[in-house]
Amino acid sequence: MTGTTLATLAALGAFHGLNPAMGWLLAVGRGLQERRRAALLAALPPIALGHLASVAVIAALVTATRSVTASRALAVAGGVLLVGYGLWRLLSERHFRWAGMRLSAGQLAGWSFLMSSAHGAGLMLLPVLLAEPTPAGGPHAGHLAAAPAGALTGLAAAGVHTVAMLAVATVIALVVYEVLGVGVLRKAWFNVDRLWAGVLVAAGVVTLVGAS
């Protein structure tokens, strides 16, 4: 992966970390409920693990099937999916409900996996991964011999992305817990879901243009 790719993956991870729906608000809730910063910090790694699993599934599949034809077909399908999902999120009146606060580490990871998947977190990486140069071997790079290396690249990309997401989510959770309190969200927080949906649509358009 190039430096530009790594920086973009980290930036997307930071963007995901900003979204309270990705788990930092749940971690803050745990900390406030138990009145312990340690409870907040303990909730974040399982949340990040669930996010990593959700993103890694798509990232590994994308990078493991990188033939010229497959990449173009995947780009078109991914672009359509991004645009469609983004428009659905923009137009939908549904809101995802917060789960109960008393969850085990495994339940937190499972909740995060489902929430990240429902919000299309892995889809955001499609334009970045598909823009990477085709691995050595040209049109045959997507064959079974190259698939394991491609899958590892996808997993590494998901790892970089998730580390950035966890770092940003941790900082925000601690600031809210220690300084602001959740009451500030009612006054200052804008609708990140709408922004995210708009970015999904834009990413889908970029992917479709690049595949044409």
Side-chain angles (χ1 to χ4, degrees):
M1 289 183 288
T2 65
T4 301
T5 298
L6 291 173
T8 304
L9 290 170
L12 286 173
F15 180 65
H16 288 174
L18 286 170
N19 193 336
M22 292 298 96
W24 67 255
L25 184 55
L26 180 59
V28 170
R30 286 290 294 273
L32 291 175
Q33 183 186 43
E34 299 187 22
R35 299 181 181 180
R36 295 186 302 120
R37 183 195 304 164
L40 180 156
L41 294 174
L44 288 168
I47 289 172
L49 182 62
H51 185 87
L52 172 63
S54 175
V55 171
V57 168
I58 291 181
L61 287 174
V62 168
T63 53
T65 59
R66 291 283 313 248
S67 69
V68 173
T69 302
S71 292
R72 180 166 295 178
L74 187 59
V76 172
V80 171
L81 185 59
L82 281 165
V83 172
Y85 190 84
L87 288 175
W88 177 77
R89 291 296 298 153
L90 278 172
L91 300 176
S92 176
E93 295 298 325
R94 294 177 57 193
H95 298 282
F96 295 99
R97 301 295 181 185
W98 292 105
M101 293 298 180
R102 296 188 181 278
L103 301 175
S104 68
Q107 289 171 327
L108 281 171
W111 173 89
S112 178
F113 177 85
L114 294 175
M115 186 63 73
S116 298
S117 299
H119 279 77
L123 299 178
M124 295 292 293
L125 273 63
L126 275 177
V128 181
L129 295 175
L130 291 172
E132 275 287 281
T134 303
H140 302 289
H143 289 175
L144 290 178
L152 288 175
T153 300
L155 292 175
V160 171
H161 170 87
T162 304
V163 167
M165 173 265 186
L166 176 59
V168 171
T170 300
V171 171
I172 293 177
L174 287 173
V175 169
V176 172
Y177 179 80
E178 299 285 358
V179 180
L180 302 176
V182 292
V184 73
L185 298 177
R186 299 190 184 96
K187 301 177 181 178
W189 196 260
F190 57 93
N191 194 326
V192 180
D193 267 357
R194 298 302 183 192
L195 173 62
W196 198 348
V199 175
L200 278 171
V201 173
V205 172
V206 170
T207 301
L208 289 172
V209 170
S212 62

